[in-house]
Amino acid sequence: MLKMFSTQITGLFRKIAEEEEYQIEDAARLLSQAPAGDGFIYILGTAEMKGIAFEAVYGLEPLRYTKIISDPHLAAVSAADRVLLLSRFSTDEEAVRLAFLLAEKGVPFVSICSVLDEDDPGQLATLADVHINLHLTKGLLPDDEGNRYGFPSAMAALFIYHALKFTIDEIMAEYL
């Protein structure tokens, strides 16, 4: 099972790297605007995606100029700031509500989540200034009854986060 999971997760990472390369670059440019000016990059995750915020702030190699924010503190975010909003799916009700609040305040933000229906990407992906698709709509491994399990959404989001961080660091090295 480990070999199958390893193969599947490698394929998912490859798909993200190939299909989301330009969105990752655009997102890094957008997020870099905050520290290049007078703002901060705020990270807001729902459910398991809160772990990516902790990696960004408390990990061994933190993303500079980044803070974790929660819903009650969104009032403190200004147009000089940028937000990275993460959820499992683009239809996540809490994330969509937060996206509306950010859009209403005129705060540019990046969303990272899976789009369940390409014909209807969901409000979160539509409201975001830049959207990065996790490409994870079902579990990676089949079971004996034809179901699927092994849904590593946080792993996929962490992969994207690191790609963003590397790109942001490169951009900021030119300004500092």
Side-chain angles (χ1 to χ4, degrees), residues 46-62:
T46 63
E48 74 275 16
M49 297 303 187
K50 291 178 182 175
I52 286 70
F54 287 103
E55 175 68 25
V57 174
Y58 303 114
L60 185 61
E61 298 174 342

Side-chain angles (χ1 to χ4, degrees), residues 24 29 51 66 72 75 84 89 99 102-103 109 117 119 131-134 152 155 159 173:
I24 290 169
R29 278 194 284 282
T66 300
L84 178 59
F89 298 119
L102 292 168
F109 72 97
D117 180 0
D119 294 329
H131 170 70
I132 303 170
N133 194 343
L134 289 174
M155 285 176 68
F159 177 77

Side-chain angles (χ1 to χ4, degrees), residues 41 43 55-57 61-66 161 165 168-169:
I41 299 170
I43 301 184
E55 175 68 25
V57 174
E61 298 174 342
L63 180 57
R64 296 183 311 165
Y65 313 106
T66 300
Y161 158 74
K165 182 195 181 310
I168 290 168
D169 287 348

Side-chain angles (χ1 to χ4, degrees), residues 29-51:
R29 278 194 284 282
L30 180 75
L31 295 172
S32 295
Q33 292 172 358
D38 293 327
F40 288 95
I41 299 170
Y42 288 100
I43 301 184
L44 181 58
T46 63
E48 74 275 16
M49 297 303 187
K50 291 178 182 175

Side-chain angles (χ1 to χ4, degrees), residues 12-90:
L12 176 63
F13 289 167
R14 186 176 302 115
K15 182 174 185 144
I16 291 169
E18 291 171 358
E19 295 188 20
E20 301 301 314
E21 178 183 7
Y22 295 117
Q23 289 82 353
I24 290 169
E25 289 176 17
D26 288 346
R29 278 194 284 282
L30 180 75
L31 295 172
S32 295
Q33 292 172 358
D38 293 327
F40 288 95
I41 299 170
Y42 288 100
I43 301 184
L44 181 58
T46 63
E48 74 275 16
M49 297 303 187
K50 291 178 182 175
I52 286 70
F54 287 103
E55 175 68 25
V57 174
Y58 303 114
L60 185 61
E61 298 174 342
L63 180 57
R64 296 183 311 165
Y65 313 106
T66 300
K67 296 180 179 183
I68 297 172
I69 193 160
S70 59
D71 182 6
H73 298 99
L74 274 181
V77 178
S78 74
D81 300 313
R82 301 295 180 263
V83 174
L84 178 59
L85 179 57
L86 301 104
S87 71
R88 186 179 305 141
F89 298 119
S90 61

